[in-house]
Amino acid sequence: MHKLLTRLLLAAMLLPVLPAMSQDNSGRTSCLFRLDYHYGEINPWLFYERPLATNIGLSAVFQMSSQGYAQVDLGPAFHIGNLALIPMAGVEFIEAGEKGARIGHICPEFFAFYNSPQWTFESQNLYFVKVADETYSNRYYYRHYLGHRLYGDSFIGPQVEGYIFPGDGPDHYFGAHLDVSAGVGLIGLFYGLNRDDHGIFRLTFLRGF
């Protein structure tokens, strides 16, 4: 529990500091805090982008988990109208096993986001390339969500996500995703089932700064 509290405190400290450090005349920085409960763990994220030029930014993601790992990602962000394309490269640090803290995976990634008055779309694609012996094998994780506006900042729509392991069958989850505006942020709910009727649930809190 003390490890989780330390990570949550670090995220809380970074939120006010990062925008103050990097705003300049090139434009306003953007910062998004995200907190997930899913797969039996608590998962805080910090998404940060600093403008570099017109329609181009530098993005960074800081991710932590109550399961004993943390991840840092960095890459460019390209903005084309309502569409954002963000290729990234990341490093996953783990604490499991006898060797203590070390690099578990190298993670090439690609994110795409689209927002319009009526629709929102999110695509996450992460490739985990194994480095440490005591970690999960190489794998691909994806999450795709298409939402239609209900009212205000609230959306609903289908979502598919899952893992694909080399030499093993994929594990796909199909379900429904609901985002509800809560004034201080956005609350997201997702429930999905795989082919074996095994269910997953995700509760998400989002707030931009």
Side-chain angles (χ1 to χ4, degrees):
M1 178 61 70
H2 71 280
K3 293 179 181 178
L4 172 60
L5 293 176
T6 300
R7 295 182 177 110
L8 290 172
L9 178 60
L10 176 60
M13 292 172 60
L14 284 171
L15 284 175
V17 171
L18 282 173
M21 290 177 58
S22 58
Q23 288 187 12
D24 55 33
N25 294 329
S26 64
R28 186 181 185 281
T29 60
S30 59
C31 194
L32 176 70
F33 177 68
R34 174 172 182 148
L35 183 64
D36 285 319
Y37 169 79
H38 58 174
Y39 298 108
E41 64 182 275
I42 297 176
N43 197 188
W45 307 60
L46 182 70
F47 298 84
Y48 170 74
E49 182 180 334
R50 178 181 179 177
L52 297 178
T54 303
N55 299 326
I56 300 176
L58 177 64
S59 289
V61 178
F62 306 90
Q63 177 191 171
M64 294 153 274
S65 169
S66 61
Q67 295 289 348
Y69 72 87
Q71 188 170 322
V72 178
D73 309 303
L74 189 68
F78 303 99
H79 298 272
I80 307 169
N82 294 327
L83 177 66
L85 303 174
I86 309 174
M88 306 188 84
V91 177
E92 177 196 63
F93 298 90
I94 62 172
E95 297 182 26
E98 298 179 354
K99 297 181 180 179
R102 63 204 183 280
I103 296 176
H105 293 89
I106 301 297
C107 309
E109 305 159 358
F110 178 75
F111 300 89
F113 302 96
Y114 176 82
N115 289 286
S116 72
Q118 295 300 322
W119 296 95
T120 185
F121 174 74
E122 173 185 333
S123 177
Q124 300 184 25
N125 303 269
L126 296 87
Y127 301 87
F128 293 87
V129 181
K130 182 176 178 177
V131 175
D133 292 336
E134 300 175 24
T135 60
Y136 292 111
S137 63
N138 297 343
R139 65 191 189 277
Y140 164 60
Y141 174 77
Y142 69 93
R143 184 188 305 172
H144 308 310
Y145 162 54
L146 177 65
H148 186 267
R149 187 182 301 275
L150 290 174
Y151 62 90
D153 293 325
S154 300
F155 291 82
I156 190 171
Q159 178 171 314
V160 58
E161 66 175 75
Y163 286 95
I164 297 177
F165 295 89
D168 197 359
D171 193 14
H172 305 297
Y173 287 86
F174 299 90
H177 183 130
L178 173 65
D179 288 321
V180 179
S181 177
V184 296
L186 198 68
I187 303 295
L189 301 169
F190 168 70
Y191 184 79
L193 293 171
N194 68 2
R195 58 188 175 184
D196 299 320
D197 290 331
H198 180 269
I200 61 169
F201 170 76
R202 178 178 296 110
L203 175 63
T204 300
F205 172 77
L206 291 164
R207 176 161 183 175
F209 295 84

